[in-house]
Amino acid sequence: AFGDASVGNAKPVSLTASSTLVGPDAGGYMLSLIGAPTTTADITARPLTVIGLTGDNKEYDGNTNATASGVAALSGVVGLDDVTLGGTPTFTFVSAGIANDITITTVGYTLGGADAGKYTLIQPTLSADITPILLSLIGLTANNKPYDGTTAATISSYGTLTGYVTGDDVSLNATGASAAFDTPAAGVGKTVTVSGLFLDGTDAGNYTIGSPTTTAD
């Protein structure tokens, strides 16, 4: 047995009176516990993990800042040991671009309590998604037209792309785009939907343009 239960290196370990000899020839021997033999061994700090947290998904914003939800708790505490979880955690995605199940690293959790020295804390590793931002067009304008029995529409201006992170390389590609009224009937302020738009630029993969709408007569 160790002399005590505290964490330490090269701690004395001695045989106790409960030690016995076994084997077919054990009867020919007697175990003397006078000056009981000793050796040494280590008691290392017990690792604790943090449970109860889930990484939060977010829209792409150009940075690696992350958040988590849930109630953090310690797992692995022995018996009634006095050890508590404290500190101010910081969560960080390992990459800023859009993807699913991106690893989130954590720093800042600490251990407290009278028995904290018997333990070591493993900071939690989480994961979450970064999803693309839907961009919009300010100033998208469709031309009015006389009734012709079709929904065909034309665009006079695609306006200005907006909603992207400052400094990102992303631009509108309207080559091959088309537009259509919602119905062929005559009317004022009719919805016109644009399809076939694409995004260009090195950061375009972090965004989507969808099918923006405007109105015309």
Side-chain angles (χ1 to χ4, degrees), residues 98-153:
I98 69 165
N100 295 327
D101 294 322
I102 304 172
T103 298
I104 298 174
T105 60
T106 308
V107 296
Y109 278 118
T110 58
L111 294 178
D115 297 310
K118 301 174 183 177
Y119 297 89
T120 183
L121 181 63
I122 300 174
Q123 300 286 337
T125 299
L126 309 173
S127 65
D129 305 339
I130 297 180
T131 58
I133 297 177
L134 177 62
L135 300 184
S136 56
L137 294 170
I138 293 179
L140 175 64
T141 306
N143 294 311
N144 298 330
K145 74 167 188 176
Y147 170 77
D148 63 4
T150 75
T151 58

Side-chain angles (χ1 to χ4, degrees), residues 69-113:
S69 300
V71 178
L74 287 173
S75 177
V77 177
V78 174
L80 299 177
D81 274 2
D82 177 15
V83 57
T84 57
L85 181 66
T88 303
T90 298
F91 305 100
T92 306
F93 283 102
V94 297
S95 60
I98 69 165
N100 295 327
D101 294 322
I102 304 172
T103 298
I104 298 174
T105 60
T106 308
V107 296
Y109 278 118
T110 58
L111 294 178

